[in-house]
Amino acid sequence: MLVSSSTASGSRSRIKLGMWLLLAPLCLWLLLLIILPHIELLSFSLSDPDEGGLTLSFYGEFFNEPLYWRTFLRTAIMSILATALTLVIAFPVAFFIAKMIKGRSKGILFAMCLIPFWVSELVRTFGWMILLRESGVISSGLQWLGLADSGVELLYTDATIMLGLVYSAMLFMVVPLVSTLDSLDDSYIEAGYDLGGNNWNIMREIIIPHATPGIVSGCIIVFMLSLGNYLTPVLLGGKDSLWFTEQIYTQFITRFNWEQGSAFGILLLLLSSLIVWLGLKVTGQSFTKTMG
Amino acid sequence: MQTDAIDLACENICKHFSEFTAVDNVSFTIPQGSFFSILGPSGCGKTTLLRMLAGFESPTSGDILIKNKSVLDVPPNKRPINMVFQHLALFPTMNIEQNIGYGLRRQGVAKAEIAERVAAVLKRVGLPDSGKKRVDQLSGGQRQRIALARCLVLNPTLLLLDEPLGALDLKLREQMKIELKQLQKEFGTTFVYITHDQSEALVMSDQIAVMNQGKFEQVGTPHELYYQPKTAFVASFVGDTNRWSGVVKSSVNQEDHQTQYQVTTNDGLTLDCVSQSSDIPVSSNVDVFVRPEAITVSLSAMDNCLENQLECQVENILFDGAKSQIIAIDKQSGGCITAAMPQTADFMGLKAGDAVYLSFSAKQALSFSEKQGEMNASL
Ligand SMILES: Nc1ncnc2c1ncn2[C@@H]1O[C@H](COP(=O)(O)OP(=O)(O)OP(=O)(O)O)[C@@H](O)[C@H]1O
Ligand SMILES: [Mg+2]
C-alpha cells in the first residue's frame, strides 16, 4: 500500500516535471517578450523623470489632452468597424470553402487565401499604394477609360485605411471560421431543412450558434491586430491617419518622451482589453469557452 | 390490418452518380400507418433512396408520390416527411426543448402551444423531465428517443429512419427495437426504416424490401421473406442458412403445383428439394438453401418420411443458450452443415466427435437457379 502510493506520487511528480519542461518555452516567451517589457513599460510610465518617485501625470496627460484620447477613440472605432467588415466579408468566403465545395478545390481555395500572406506586410502595403496613388494603376485606368479628367488620389483617406486593415486581417478571420464551419456536420444543416427551416433561420439558429467560437476568436484577433497595426494606417492613411500606435511611435522616437510613450502603451493594453471584455459581455460569450 | 390509403408510392426510381447506378428502377407503395423496412448490405443504395424520399437528392428518373401527389418539385423543408438521421443530428447548441420545438417554431406555432406540444411528446417518449437538459447530458438511447420525438411532434405523413440504432450497443439496440415498434404503433405514423441488420427488420416491420445493388429483390412480410424467399440473395441474406451448389438431375411435378427436384451437389450429395419456379431445366446449375432450424437432428438413423438424411459427425458446438448450434461434418462429402441444437434432454451430453443424423424435408430445401444469382451479381 505504502509502496504503491509512493510510486504513484513519484510518477505524478515526474509527469509534473515533464509538463513544466514542455511549458518552459511558452513561459519563457511570455516572460521575456510580454511580461518583462510590460513591467518595464509600467515602471517607466509611473516614474517622474524630473524629481524621481512615482507620478500619474503621464496617464493624466492622456485624458486631459483631447488629441490623445480622441485619437484612441477613433482608432478603436475604426478597428471595431474593420472587424465587423472583415467578419461580413470573411463569413461567406469561409462558408463557401468549408461547406459548399468538396475535395481538392477546397484545399486550393484555402491556399489562395493564404498566398497574400507569403509576402511581407510592408510589400503588400506598398502594393496597395502602387494601385491607389494619384499616378497609380487605378487612377490611370480611370483616366484611360475617360471616367476621370485628371489623376485621382485614392490614398490617405479613412476608407483606404479601412481597406488596408480589412485586407491584412482577412486571413485571421477566415482560418478560425473555416475550421469551426468545417466541424459542423452537414447532417445538422440537412436536419434543419428537413424540419422545415429555410436558409435564413438555419443560418441564424444552427450555423451561426455553431460557428460562434470561431467568430469570437476571429473577431478578437482581428480587432487586436487592427488596433495595434502601425504600418497600414501610416502608409495608407498618411500623416493625418491619427492612429494611436502612431502617437506611441511619436512619443518614443520623435519626442524622446519614453515615459509618455510607456503610459500610452500600457493604456493601449488596458483599454483594448476592456473593449474585448465588454464585447464578450455584450454578446454573452466567455473567453475560456471561445478558446477551449 | 391497415387501411388501404397509400401514403407513399415510388414509381421506377433511378439514381445515377455519373456512370454508377446507385438505385435502379425501384417501385413500391407503402400503405398508411405501416412499418416498412428496407434491408440490404452496405453500399446497396439504401441511404441514397431515403435521401431521395426526403428531398436531398433528386431521382434521375421516376416519380415519388405522397398521398397521390408528386413531390419531386417540393423542396425538403416543404415535404410532409421527416427524417431521423444516422447520427441523429440533434442540434448541440440547443437544449432538448428547443430541439423538439425547432420544427414547430418553423411552422409559426404560438409559444404556449409549442411548450405544450413539446411537453406532451416528451411524455410520450418517456422522458418528461429532460426538456431543459443539454443534448450531451442524455444517454444514447435517450437521444434516440429525442430524435424521434423531434420528428413525431410535427405529425409527419412519413417518418424516415436511416439505421438509427447503428450507433447503439447490442443490449440497447434490442431494447430500442421494441420501443421503436411500440412508438410507431402509438403514433400511427408511417415509418420507412433502413437497416442492414436483418433481425431489426424482421422484428419490427410490417413489410420488408430486400435491396441488393440498387434493386429491390423482394418485397414482402417478414414471414414471406423468411419462408418463401424469391431469390437466392434473399434466401442467403435473411436469416442463417446452409448452402449447396449443384446440378439438377431430375424433376417431378408434385400434385401441389410445386416441382420437386433431385439435385446432385458439387461435393457429391444427392438432395431432394423444391423451387418457387417450375422451369429449372435438368442439368442446369442450382443453389440449394436449408435453414439450420429446419434440420431435424437425431442420434440414430430414422426411417422417417423426410426426404433427405445425412450421416454426420459433430465437429463443434456453438453454445449460445437457446440459440446454440451444431456444426457437423457430413460423412459422405466432408462438407460442413449448421443445424440448430434441439433443446431436449437427449442432446444435453452431445459433444464433438459424436455421430448424428441430420434430416430435412424436400420442402425446406429451397433451390434457386444459379443463372438468377449470376444475373443479380453481374448487375
Ligand atoms: N454523392 C455520391 N456520388 C457518387 N457515388 C455515391 C454518392 N452517394 C452514394 N454513392 C454511391 O452509391 C452507393 C450507395 O450508397 P448508399 O449511401 O446509398 O449506401 P447504403 O446502402 O446506405 O450503405 P450503408 O449501409 O453502408 O450506409 C455506394 O456505392 C456509394 O459509393
Ligand atoms: Mg447508409
Side-chain angles (χ1 to χ4, degrees), chain A residues 16-279:
Chain A
K16 252 194 180 147
L17 183 71
M19 198 178 76
W20 279 115
L21 279 176
L22 284 173
L23 283 178
L26 180 71
C27 293
L28 268 179
W29 185 71
L30 278 176
L31 188 73
L32 290 178
L33 286 167
I34 312 282
I35 298 175
L36 277 183
H38 272 89
I39 291 175
E40 196 62 19
L41 277 184
L42 191 67
S43 72
F44 252 122
S45 70
L46 288 171
S47 62
D48 192 329
D50 302 328
E51 296 161 25
L54 291 178
T55 173
L56 279 173
S57 65
F58 295 111
Y59 289 90
E61 181 75 4
F62 173 80
F63 294 102
N64 292 331
E65 173 61 55
L67 175 72
Y68 294 148
W69 63 259
R70 280 192 187 153
T71 306
F72 181 81
L73 210 62
R74 175 185 141 83
T75 309
I77 290 172
M78 291 270 284
S79 298
I80 291 172
L81 213 63
T83 308
L85 260 176
T86 313
L87 178 63
V88 169
I89 299 170
F91 197 88
V93 174
F95 190 78
F96 188 74
I97 292 175
K99 284 279 153 251
M100 313 285 271
I101 50 174
K102 302 260 176 292
R104 268 179 57 110
S105 40
K106 191 173 187 157
I108 293 172
L109 217 75
F110 201 46
M112 272 164 63
C113 288
L114 265 163
I115 283 171
F117 292 84
W118 234 250
V119 180
S120 117
E121 192 189 356
L122 188 68
V123 177
R124 253 184 295 139
T125 312
F126 277 126
W128 277 114
M129 293 181 78
I130 291 167
L131 283 179
L132 296 173
R133 73 203 155 114
E134 204 171 350
S135 54
V137 176
I138 293 179
S139 170
S140 36
L142 286 174
Q143 284 175 68
W144 184 78
L145 285 170
L147 292 171
D149 304 330
S150 56
V152 193
E153 180 60 277
L154 294 167
L155 280 176
Y156 315 128
T157 66
D158 283 358
T160 324
I161 298 178
M162 197 57 83
L163 180 81
L165 287 176
V166 170
Y167 176 75
S168 60
M170 189 58 78
L171 183 74
F172 300 96
M173 190 64 97
V174 169
V175 170
L177 282 181
V178 166
S179 71
T180 49
L181 286 174
D182 236 355
S183 70
L184 177 69
D185 199 276
D186 283 344
S187 68
Y188 292 114
I189 299 174
E190 283 180 351
Y193 282 115
D194 187 65
L195 295 166
N198 55 25
N199 292 344
W200 161 243
N201 56 49
I202 284 172
M203 183 57 77
R204 215 193 46 186
E205 291 203 23
I206 297 167
I207 298 172
I208 291 181
H210 178 91
T212 305
I215 294 174
V216 172
S217 54
C219 283
I220 292 176
I221 297 170
V222 170
F223 174 73
M224 294 307 253
L225 278 178
S226 299
L227 204 66
N229 201 330
Y230 176 73
L231 219 54
T232 309
V234 169
L235 290 182
L236 296 182
K239 280 221 158 27
D240 308 319
S241 63
L242 290 176
W243 210 254
F244 194 66
T245 45
E246 214 183 333
Q247 294 290 347
I248 299 178
Y249 182 87
T250 312
Q251 296 300 340
F252 270 104
I253 306 297
T254 320
R255 299 224 185 133
F256 267 117
N257 190 347
W258 281 46
E259 290 77 11
Q260 188 65 60
S262 304
F264 283 177
I266 295 290
L267 278 167
L268 181 66
L269 179 71
L270 292 179
L271 290 173
S272 57
S273 306
L274 184 73
I275 293 172
V276 168
W277 180 79
L278 275 175

Side-chain angles (χ1 to χ4, degrees), chain B residues 81-352:
Chain B
I81 293 182
N82 289 119
M83 183 158 165
V84 175
F85 287 77
Q86 193 155 8
H87 299 287
L88 307 183
L90 293 174
F91 307 128
T93 49
M94 302 180 197
N95 68 20
I96 299 305
E97 261 176 2
Q98 290 165 331
N99 257 290
I100 298 178
Y102 180 86
L104 294 171
R105 291 200 296 280
R106 299 290 79 79
Q107 293 178 353
V109 178
K111 265 211 176 101
E113 197 192 333
I114 291 180
E116 211 172 282
R117 281 170 72 176
V118 168
V121 81
L122 276 174
K123 210 164 171 186
R124 287 185 80 171
V125 297
L127 295 167
D129 304 320
S130 42
K132 295 276 180 262
K133 288 189 181 164
R134 284 197 321 273
V135 173
D136 55 17
Q137 287 172 319
L138 296 186
S139 73
Q142 289 170 331
R143 278 183 222 178
Q144 191 72 57
R145 280 182 263 173
I146 296 301
L148 214 59
R150 187 174 71 173
C151 293
L152 290 174
V153 76
L154 300 172
N155 295 320
T157 307
L158 208 61
L159 185 66
L160 312 177
L161 303 102
D162 188 352
E163 301 194 25
L165 306 187
L168 304 182
D169 61 64
L170 192 67
K171 197 89 186 172
L172 193 53
R173 205 151 58 199
E174 295 296 318
Q175 184 192 336
M176 283 308 296
K177 261 191 236 177
I178 298 160
E179 264 181 50
L180 256 178
K181 178 69 186 165
Q182 240 156 22
L183 283 169
Q184 188 262 339
K185 264 197 191 141
E186 264 175 51
F187 280 82
T189 311
T190 310
F191 276 34
V192 180
Y193 186 92
I194 282 192
T195 180
H196 59 243
D197 179 316
Q198 40 122 350
S199 106
E200 277 174 26
L202 292 175
V203 168
M204 294 189 281
S205 321
D206 298 318
Q207 290 264 306
I208 302 176
V210 179
M211 195 173 185
N212 186 28
Q213 295 177 331
K215 281 179 181 306
F216 274 10
E217 295 259 338
Q218 185 177 357
V219 183
T221 62
H223 193 274
E224 279 169 4
L225 290 181
Y226 197 81
Y227 292 108
Q228 295 140 39
K230 289 226 171 67
T231 67
F233 178 80
V234 176
S236 59
F237 192 73
V238 180
D240 294 332
T241 189
N242 294 293
R243 175 184 192 147
W244 287 275
S245 300
V247 179
V248 177
K249 282 292 162 221
S250 64
S251 62
V252 188
N253 275 321
Q254 303 285 86
E255 61 272 22
D256 54 354
H257 301 295
Q258 262 184 327
T259 316
Q260 190 165 323
Y261 297 91
Q262 192 161 58
V263 173
T264 307
T265 65
N266 295 345
D267 53 10
L269 294 175
T270 303
L271 300 174
D272 287 329
C273 52
V274 295
S275 175
Q276 305 273 334
S277 54
S278 56
D279 53 351
I280 304 178
V282 170
S283 81
S284 65
N285 292 330
V286 290
D287 283 329
V288 180
F289 294 91
V290 181
R291 298 213 182 274
E293 66 274 21
I295 297 175
T296 310
V297 186
S298 56
L299 295 175
S300 54
M302 294 190 294
D303 38 344
N304 57 10
C305 53
L306 297 180
E307 287 86 344
N308 303 296
Q309 178 154 280
L310 304 168
E311 191 190 351
C312 301
Q313 191 178 24
V314 175
E315 163 83 2
N316 203 350
I317 292 175
L318 302 178
F319 185 77
D320 184 16
K323 286 181 286 186
S324 302
Q325 290 186 318
I326 301 170
I327 312 281
I329 299 287
D330 170 46
K331 284 236 172 87
Q332 193 184 339
S333 67
C336 233
I337 303 172
T338 307
M341 172 93 154
Q343 300 293 314
T344 51
D346 297 348
F347 297 94
M348 294 287 259
L350 196 67
K351 59 185 186 303

